Amino acid sequence: MRTRHFIITMMFATLPFCKVLADDIRYLVVNAKDGTTTSFALTDEPIVSCKAGKLEIVSKVTTFSLSLADVRNYAFSETLTGIAEVDKDRNLVMENGHIIIKGLPFGSTVSAYMQDGRQAKTFIADEKGTAVVDLSGLPKGIVILHSNKTNIKIINRE
């Protein structure tokens, strides 16, 4: 166990140098043995430590902790996995802590998912095809808004 702890610590110790060595690397991705994947943007300056048999990662937007025994592997990536497309449509407006999504079919849902895959909340489009996502009702951190095969990644700081 000590050898594994040492190896993981040494691998994560290289994290601050990744930006210098390869500008195209943008994410640290940790894969757990249970199949979950957690990603950290290097621009959020994640700090990695191993304490008492746990891997801990603290960044500007989130805190993550996992037993070292539950870590399958980690990788540095230039793209965030899990989202096939990013919506480039400009039917989004941010006003007073709300994200307003226009152009949706009446009654369609916009689901808010947390970084770990949990569904946090669902919003319904009105008769005009507009869904209003209240950020104050969502947990802080990375949130994925999903509707009609469209994904929007936001960082909720509210």
Side-chain angles (χ1 to χ4, degrees), residues 29-38 64 66 70 72-73 116-117:
V29 181
V30 178
N31 296 304
K33 288 182 179 176
D34 67 1
T36 58
T37 299
T38 307
F64 172 80
L66 182 67
D70 294 330
R72 180 181 337 156
N73 60 26
D116 63 3

Side-chain angles (χ1 to χ4, degrees), residues 104-110 123-127 129:
L104 299 170
F106 168 70
S108 65
T109 60
V110 175
F123 304 89
I124 308 293
D126 63 16
E127 63 279 350

